[in-house]
Amino acid sequence: MRLNRVAVLVLEGAKPLDVGIPAQVFTTRTSMPYEVRVCGPAPGLVTGGDGLSYHVADGLDALRWADIVFIPGYRFPDREDPPAAVSAALREAHDRGARLAAISTGAFALAATGLLDGKRATTHWHYTRALAVKHPAIKVDENVLFVDEGSVLTSAGAASGIDLCLHILRGDLGMAGANHAARRLVAAPYRSGGQAQYVPHSVPEPLGERFAATRAWALHRLGKPLTLDGLARHARVSPRTFSRRFAADTGYTPMEWVLRARIDMARELLELSELGVERIAADVGLGTGANLRLHFRRLLGTTPSEYRRTFARGL
């Protein structure tokens, strides 16, 4: 099977974390059917940001080779557009069918191609207003970690690049493959794209830690009854406070988050076990196979059987 081809495009002033995240996540290994090339506007030395530079072996020809092109963030993205040759190469890659994924301020380079016009997008919270002013045709959302518009994807600050990469892996390899990569990165396996970029400073940190502990507690009890009152009781706050803060932290109501966590657990069981749909539904707390099928169709647009046929393979 041909490896999926990933190009990481390094522009002048590129941010080290933004470059390193996709390069590391998609590096070829037994469990990762990808091949990575780090490229620039031309082969050779590219001056990066934060005191680092990059010596890249490939130029823009790598974009003609790639199935996915990552565009890391870079310094001063609101001051000038990337070279015209870069924008043309990105448009050509997109027209050929490649996915374009911007990390942080890389969204400005993607916006310069016109491919985000009329679509939702995000970038680092410090630059969302500048992106909206410079490219008014884009529907800029400053309150999310990443946005998936199919062939074009954008993410917030550097750490959100990990969330975006894991989101792509879930679509390519399934839940088990993405979770395997998350464990290797020692990263949270799933953060909703709709989650806020940052928690308001007025929220006391201990409460944030308490809510994280409750989410972890719930993940180990998905096969058992979980209620709003029970979750709030574990967090030692009122149900009303719990609901409001939980939605601000995750982008979902508590019970919608529990449902999605149960579907994710079902996805992994479908990929890695031979258990029947009825047994899986019971094990993840969804009760019946009919209930599992209903929520699978609503959230994923497919059936458990179709999902298993697509992703049932070893790591």
Side-chain angles (χ1 to χ4, degrees):
M1 183 176 64
R2 181 176 77 82
L3 296 178
N4 297 295
R5 298 167 173 174
V6 176
V8 181
L9 176 60
V10 180
L11 299 175
E12 192 81 10
K15 294 292 186 177
L17 273 178
D18 296 3
V19 174
I21 286 169
Q24 180 175 349
V25 170
F26 292 93
T27 293
T28 305
R29 45 177 54 85
T30 303
S31 60
M32 297 290 290
Y34 295 90
E35 179 182 357
V36 179
R37 293 185 185 176
V38 180
C39 63
L45 190 67
V46 180
T47 301
D50 303 316
L52 296 180
S53 294
Y54 310 86
H55 194 282
V56 298
D58 294 286
L60 295 176
D61 55 312
L63 274 59
R64 293 192 290 271
W65 162 89
D67 302 311
I68 310 173
V69 178
F70 281 93
I71 311 160
Y74 52 96
R75 287 181 304 174
F76 313 129
D78 52 336
R79 297 187 186 178
E80 58 183 35
D81 291 333
V86 169
S87 295
L90 288 170
R91 284 192 295 268
E92 180 185 338
H94 179 266
D95 292 345
R96 186 176 47 76
R99 286 174 286 173
L100 307 183
I103 296 178
S104 189
T105 55
F108 282 81
L110 186 50
T113 66
L115 295 171
L116 290 177
D117 289 356
K119 295 182 172 64
R120 285 179 64 237
T122 193
T123 188
H124 189 286
W125 62 267
H126 185 75
Y127 284 95
T128 50
R129 182 171 297 180
L131 181 63
V133 169
K134 189 170 185 178
H135 298 280
I138 298 174
K139 303 170 185 175
V140 178
D141 191 339
E142 64 181 2
N143 295 314
V144 294
L145 295 179
F146 60 84
V147 175
D148 182 348
E149 286 280 1
S151 60
V152 287
L153 305 93
T154 52
S155 71
S160 303
I162 297 177
D163 299 305
L164 179 61
C165 289
L166 293 176
H167 170 75
I168 290 172
L169 287 178
R170 279 192 294 274
D172 287 359
L173 304 182
M175 184 60 63
N179 285 350
H180 176 78
R183 285 191 293 271
R184 179 170 48 81
L185 294 167
V186 197
Y190 182 71
R191 291 203 298 169
S192 155
Q195 183 170 333
Q197 290 197 28
Y198 57 91
V199 177
H201 294 302
S202 60
V203 176
E205 184 61 27
L207 189 57
E209 294 173 357
R210 197 185 308 170
F211 276 45
T214 296
R215 290 197 295 271
W217 174 80
L219 287 174
H220 287 91
R221 296 175 55 86
L222 292 176
K224 301 177 181 179
L226 289 170
T227 65
L228 174 60
D229 286 347
L231 293 168
R233 189 163 49 248
H234 184 275
R236 303 193 302 280
V237 295
S238 71
R240 182 177 179 181
T241 296
F242 185 78
S243 293
R244 176 174 51 81
R245 270 297 315 280
F246 196 97
D249 285 355
T250 68
Y252 294 119
T253 67
M255 299 319 295
E256 178 71 9
W257 181 89
V258 168
L259 172 61
R260 288 175 177 270
R262 284 172 166 158
I263 290 295
D264 287 350
M265 183 178 177
R267 290 167 68 178
E268 190 155 5
L269 289 173
L270 286 166
E271 294 167 22
L272 299 180
S273 79
E274 297 181 356
L275 296 175
V277 170
E278 293 291 338
R279 172 65 184 278
I280 289 175
D283 286 352
V284 303
L286 288 173
T288 67
N291 199 31
L292 175 60
R293 292 184 187 95
L294 173 68
H295 293 301
F296 235 78
R297 175 67 69 181
R298 181 173 71 87
L299 295 178
L300 302 177
T302 188
T303 66
S305 297
E306 290 169 346
Y307 185 89
R308 171 170 268 166
R309 280 195 293 271
T310 302
F311 291 110
R313 57 177 180 267
L315 292 177

